């Protein structure tokens, strides 16, 4: 997709601090990092949401995330990482091309866990089994 900044990075028409590339994925440093080594991993396929990607690109993306997490942690001296997708605009996604954030984390970085990302959580549901059924019916 021509106007997509991450497609342009994948094609090489916009520069990036690339750290890894294979036939189906690419990884580069985030231009506005939350910590040193904050990396984005993208599929070389334009899709805004993870669940709209062809399965082969999704599995390949996971392989690249797996390959890079250790080296990123080691390179910046982190003992932990937050690995996350903002999957859709309601989840805060700003660039509409699937990307996984690998964010090196440090004991004193002042950040929190993924449990802190929703400010107004839904009330606890007593009806978990109905939710299970609704999801299972759609798989
Ligand atoms: P998100 O809110 O998940 O869509 O995050 C988009 C991320 O892309 C942000 O962390 C931006 O800093 C990052 N970003 C935007 N443009 C570029 C770029 N040209 N090169 C590297 N990272 C970028
Ligand atoms: Zn794109």
């Amino acid at each position: 997709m021509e106007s997509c900044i991450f497609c342009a990075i994948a094609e090489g028409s916009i520069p990036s601090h690339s750290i890894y590339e294979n036939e189906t994925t690419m990884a580069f440093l985030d231009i506005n990092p939350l910590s040193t080594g904050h990396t984005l991993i993208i599929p070389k396929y334009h899709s805004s949401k993870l669940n709209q990607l062809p399965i082969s690109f999704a599995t390949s993306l996971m392989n690249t995330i797996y390959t890079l997490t250790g080296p990123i942690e080691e390179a910046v001296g982190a003992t932990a990482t937050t690995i996350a997708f903002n999957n859709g605009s309601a989840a805060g996604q700003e660039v509409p091309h699937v990307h996984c954030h690998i964010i090196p984390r440090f004991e004193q970085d002042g950040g929190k866990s993924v449990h802190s990302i929703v400010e107004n959580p839904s009330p606890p549901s007593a009806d978990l089994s109905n939710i299970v059924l609704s999801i299972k019916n759609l798989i």
Side-chain angles (χ1 to χ4, degrees):
M1 195 183 162
E2 245 168 59
S3 61
C4 172
I5 191 164
F6 286 177
C7 282
I9 285 175
E11 287 158 10
S13 52
I14 287 185
S16 70
H17 293 282
S18 172
I19 61 171
Y20 179 84
E21 187 168 6
N22 63 18
E23 212 176 299
T24 49
T25 66
M26 181 176 179
F28 51 91
L29 295 181
D30 194 296
I31 206 167
N32 189 19
L34 289 173
S35 65
T36 304
H38 181 168
T39 298
L40 301 177
I41 300 168
I42 63 168
K44 292 182 177 177
Y45 181 98
H46 184 81
S47 164
S48 59
K49 294 185 69 188
L50 179 70
N51 39 312
Q52 292 163 347
L53 266 185
I55 186 72
S56 60
F57 282 91
T59 53
S60 182
L61 197 61
M62 191 62 210
N63 280 333
T64 299
I65 293 164
Y66 177 82
T67 300
L68 297 185
T69 299
I72 291 170
E73 284 189 359
E74 201 174 326
V76 300
T79 54
T81 32
T82 294
I83 300 172
F85 293 83
N86 293 321
N87 194 41
S89 58
Q93 184 179 5
E94 288 182 357
V95 178
H97 181 126
V98 178
H99 52 281
C100 176
H101 294 259
I102 298 183
I103 304 165
R105 296 295 304 273
F106 302 89
E107 293 296 341
Q108 311 302 335
D109 66 16
K112 298 192 174 73
S113 78
V114 293
H115 292 92
S116 68
I117 62 180
V118 173
E119 271 189 29
N120 303 308
S122 313
S125 170
D127 202 7
L128 296 186
S129 42
N130 259 343
I131 298 170
V132 168
L133 271 182
S134 311
I135 297 170
K136 279 188 163 178
N137 285 337
L138 294 169
I139 296 173

